[in-house]
Amino acid sequence: MPDLPGTHDSAGQASNFPSEGRITPIVPARNEEQVIATCVRSLAQQEEVAEIVVVNDQSTDHTAEVVRALMAEIPQLRLLEVQKVPPGWVGKNHAVWLGAKDARSPWLLFTDADAEVLAGAARRALQLAKETGAVLVSFSPEQMTRSWYEKSLIPFVYCRLAKYFSYEAVNDPHSKAAAANGQFLMIRRDAYQAIGGHASVAGDVLEDVALAARAKNAGYRIWFGAGRGLVRARMYRSFTAMWEGWKKNLYLLIGARREAVYRELLAVVPWIPFVLLVIGLRVPMALIAGLGLLFARHAAYGVALARNQYPGKYILYYVPGVLLYAGVIWASYRAHAHGTVDWKGRTVVVRAAE
């Protein structure tokens, strides 16, 4: 891969790790002091991991110091420092591209600092690659939720996205559907180089989906599936971070079209039950009908939760989930319509929506 400016090994020395190592995880980290240690230690426990590269993406907290402390207990761990993000690049894409350039193994594993890779995950990914012939294997992590707003919005989003990204369609080589999850995305190094790596998706906010699409369009086999028991993540630790994250991604995930936004709002908001409940303030029969229809919506959501391996008790968060989803999908559309989204203290320029 061609060299890019803006990186150096934190120890000031080139790596001499042997090229026969099997997997190199690459972890972009921007202000991840709370979670980076758990992520790195989980990767170090994978027998198939030959080296770990953490790329400190101009963090303003103690992320780099935490990683340097870990280097004393994990000798295969290296830290790279981003000096600047070139024009036209999304910061994360630039960080992982630098890490990929520095990696030595035949397999690259891109993961996020908030992901915890569980025992056997790397082995399972390699097995799937061998069994299916896939050059790209990605797991959709088990999403850990703690607060009421996480339990409301995150399962609701993933239940909706399951309608857009069917594992069966993605894994069918005859289908054009392509998807992956950047929290666990393993790709064979030669295929990654052949499709241009992250340099080919430098400005894409959804770089994982874009990379999977490039691989599939190039004729490579990809595999995408549920990661329960293999990898887990708590994506957001505050309401603001959660809102910004989905505002950045959701419009793109549903197809990046205004009609898709309207279709989602029409499909997910229980307009008729809400109207009947309002009328029911004066007409008791309308109240009964509204409650019945709302109960039916709850039941349908319960089925979707079970299908997507979420606890059944999350059905209690259906109404706040609807309201948060409707709000953030509209906010995502409006942000993309203005051509910029905010994420981790940066303003990211995106292609303006209609």
Side-chain angles (χ1 to χ4, degrees):
M1 298 182 191
D3 288 335
L4 284 177
T7 182
H8 63 270
D9 193 300
S10 66
Q13 298 176 347
S15 171
N16 294 316
F17 201 89
S19 60
E20 62 266 22
R22 283 176 286 183
I23 300 177
T24 297
I26 299 161
V27 187
R30 179 172 171 81
N31 297 334
E32 302 287 3
E33 63 180 7
Q34 295 182 356
V35 296
I36 189 66
T38 298
C39 175
V40 169
R41 287 194 176 106
S42 74
L43 292 167
Q45 292 173 4
Q46 307 291 316
E47 293 181 4
E48 296 74 17
V49 166
E51 56 177 352
I52 303 168
V53 178
V54 175
V55 187
N56 181 32
D57 187 12
Q58 300 180 318
S59 296
T60 57
D61 65 0
H62 297 291
T63 295
E65 289 86 339
V66 173
V67 176
R68 290 191 186 100
L70 287 169
M71 292 168 69
E73 66 178 80
I74 304 173
Q76 68 269 39
L77 173 62
R78 297 201 306 281
L79 176 65
L80 304 182
E81 296 281 355
V82 172
Q83 301 302 315
K84 63 179 180 179
V85 180
W89 284 79
V90 172
K92 177 184 177 181
N93 299 351
H94 178 246
V96 294
W97 170 249
L98 295 179
K101 289 196 307 110
D102 194 73
R104 302 290 184 265
S105 303
W107 288 93
L108 307 175
L109 171 58
F110 300 107
T111 186
D112 288 348
D114 57 11
E116 181 181 2
V117 181
L118 304 180
R123 183 182 303 113
R124 180 58 181 153
L126 288 172
Q127 288 174 345
L128 284 167
K130 182 178 181 180
E131 292 169 3
T132 65
V135 304
L136 185 156
V137 174
S138 181
F139 297 134
S140 182
E142 178 183 355
Q143 297 298 328
M144 310 301 290
T145 55
R146 298 286 185 268
S147 61
W148 71 267
Y149 50 81
E150 292 171 277
K151 294 175 182 178
S152 299
L153 182 57
I154 291 175
F156 199 99
V157 168
Y158 275 95
C159 288
R160 293 304 301 173
L161 292 182
K163 298 179 180 297
Y164 287 88
F165 299 102
S166 159
Y167 293 144
E168 292 77 11
V170 170
N171 298 338
D172 181 356
H174 303 294
S175 168
K176 293 182 179 180
N181 190 308
Q183 292 172 313
F184 190 107
L185 192 161
M186 188 184 78
I187 185 169
R188 207 172 67 201
R189 182 183 177 86
D190 61 337
Y192 178 77
Q193 293 174 322
I195 64 176
H198 280 85
S200 65
V201 295
D204 281 87
V205 173
L206 286 180
E207 85 293 337
D208 45 9
V209 176
L211 201 66
R214 285 189 63 82
K216 198 168 190 181
N217 290 338
Y220 292 109
R221 187 79 178 261
I222 68 174
W223 190 94
F224 184 38
R228 189 175 185 84
L230 296 170
V231 58
R232 61 190 177 197
R234 186 182 178 195
M235 296 173 65
Y236 309 112
R237 284 168 168 74
S238 73
F239 184 89
T240 299
M242 183 185 74
W243 191 264
E244 282 192 352
W246 288 120
K247 187 170 76 170
K248 172 173 64 76
N249 292 335
L250 200 49
Y251 173 72
L252 301 174
L253 285 166
I254 65 169
R257 299 185 63 182
R258 180 174 53 192
E259 299 81 34
V261 175
Y262 294 148
R263 184 172 61 248
E264 279 295 291
L265 291 175
L266 189 61
V268 303
V269 178
W271 299 103
I272 294 176
F274 282 170
V275 170
L276 288 174
L277 289 175
V278 172
I279 296 174
L281 296 175
R282 289 180 172 271
V283 183
M285 287 302 297
L287 179 62
I288 294 172
L291 289 173
L293 290 175
L294 194 58
F295 177 81
R297 287 274 193 152
H298 273 79
Y301 184 51
V303 172
L305 287 170
R307 187 184 304 122
N308 289 279
Q309 300 181 330
Y310 284 102
K313 62 184 179 181
Y314 283 13
I315 196 173
L316 299 175
Y317 298 93
Y318 169 69
V319 172
V322 167
L323 298 177
L324 287 173
Y325 182 79
V328 79
I329 202 171
W330 185 253
S332 182
Y333 165 57
R334 295 306 303 160
H336 283 268
H338 286 104
T340 60
V341 292
D342 296 323
W343 181 239
K344 292 195 173 182
R346 287 172 172 159
T347 297
V348 180
V349 177
V350 295
R351 186 175 62 185
E354 304 168 62

